[in-house]
Amino acid sequence: MAGAATLAYNRAMYIDSHCHINFPELAARMPEILAKMAENKVTHALCVSVDLPDFPQVLALAEQYPHIFASVGVHPDYEETPEPSVDDLVRLSNHPKIVAIGETGLDYFRLKGDLEWQRERFRTHIKASRITRKPLIIHTRAASEDTIRIMREEGAGTDAGGVAGVMHCFTESLEVARAAMEMGFYISFSGIVTFKSAKDLQAVAREVPLERILIETDSPYLAPVPFRGRMNEPGYVAHVAEYLATLKGLPLERVAHQTTDNFFNLFKLLP
């Protein structure tokens, strides 16, 4: 695989850079999910791993469908689950359809108490990313200070000789976004950015350069307006792009094309 050149498009196309279509509520509807993607010009999706026991399902989807890619990692919210080692992540990522390490990071919102295990798990993923040269998918919630600190300490990002990555489902401040971008990371916006209550996040999205933006659903969660409250799916990612285009005063085609290019460039894929 090699870095992607800029693409030429005849029409807007989209990529869902973060979804969980292996989850039972979506996997049971796979033909419908894939048809809706095609209908809405969503050409590819990245199915993101959240634990090791379910990783075979994630990989199986990527192996079955040419336009589905996958990651390997253990989510910070999963406390009672087998703990990954660096060797585990390196070994499991040795597959052409595994394009990233994660979802990893820190979450101080859902879990309380001594969360040193979360921080050590995060460090493990960063080490695996540096060894494999595969980008990190980072989740951070109510933990941005420690997230950025550990990223710097462990050499995440291109500025420290590591590789780039993405701050997924971003809901943090512009200061956090800028700190991540300085390390070579992309900022990914989900359906949250379309919510009326997300004024602060919308202000951040206006300031993040389009060249550093990805779009995602995080399905089955966080369906964008006008589907808020329903089960989310990759076909809805176009609505995130449409909202960002309006928010930033840009043509929709430009947002679609640039976020697609960004995906291929970050994950070192040929379009």
Side-chain angles (χ1 to χ4, degrees), residues 232-246:
N232 204 0
E233 58 182 271
Y236 293 162
V237 78
H239 294 278
V240 179
E242 290 168 1
Y243 189 88
L244 288 171
T246 300

Side-chain angles (χ1 to χ4, degrees), residues 24-179:
E25 55 266 56
L26 293 180
R29 299 171 47 232
M30 192 57 61
E32 179 186 347
I33 295 297
L34 297 176
K36 184 68 71 173
M37 286 176 61
E39 178 184 337
N40 288 286
K41 303 182 179 67
V42 181
T43 62
H44 299 79
L46 175 52
C47 185
V48 175
S49 168
V50 295
D51 66 2
L52 296 186
D54 293 329
F55 171 72
Q57 301 168 11
V58 175
L59 179 57
L61 282 172
E63 289 179 326
Q64 183 175 359
Y65 301 107
H67 61 315
I68 304 297
F69 297 97
S71 72
V72 59
V74 181
H75 194 289
D77 283 353
Y78 283 57
E79 186 172 8
E80 301 298 329
T81 194
E83 196 66 35
S85 67
V86 173
D87 288 344
D88 290 334
L89 295 173
V90 170
R91 173 176 53 82
L92 293 172
S93 69
N94 187 27
H95 187 289
K97 295 301 292 287
I98 303 300
V99 300
I101 302 295
E103 170 174 2
T104 184
L106 302 176
D107 193 320
Y108 297 169
F109 181 82
R110 293 188 180 93
L111 298 176
K112 306 297 180 183
D114 184 1
L115 298 180
E116 183 59 26
W117 61 268
Q118 243 188 38
R119 292 183 283 274
E120 287 305 309
R121 180 183 292 175
F122 187 23
R123 293 180 190 276
T124 294
H125 284 75
I126 297 174
K127 290 180 173 72
S129 171
R130 289 180 61 91
I131 292 169
T132 61
R133 312 301 297 171
K134 294 190 176 184
L136 283 163
I137 300 172
I138 293 182
H139 168 112
T140 182
R141 190 173 185 192
S144 59
E145 183 176 343
D146 279 357
T147 299
I148 296 296
R149 174 179 59 82
I150 291 173
M151 289 167 67
R152 287 171 174 157
E153 289 175 356
E154 295 295 334
T158 55
D159 66 324
V163 294
V166 55
M167 308 298 284
H168 117 86
C169 196
F170 193 80
T171 56
E172 304 297 327
S173 67
L174 181 58
E175 180 183 12
V176 174
R178 284 173 172 160

Side-chain angles (χ1 to χ4, degrees), residues 194-244:
T194 71
F195 297 173
K196 290 182 179 179
S197 59
K199 300 302 183 185
D200 290 345
L201 181 61
Q202 291 159 9
V204 172
R206 288 190 187 96
E207 298 297 323
V208 175
L210 184 59
E211 292 74 18
R212 304 302 292 276
I213 288 177
L214 296 181
I215 54 175
E216 64 170 276
T217 61
D218 202 15
S219 50
Y221 312 115
L222 304 173
V225 174
F227 302 104
R228 188 175 183 184
R230 304 184 195 178
M231 186 184 301
N232 204 0
E233 58 182 271
Y236 293 162
V237 78
H239 294 278
V240 179
E242 290 168 1
Y243 189 88
L244 288 171

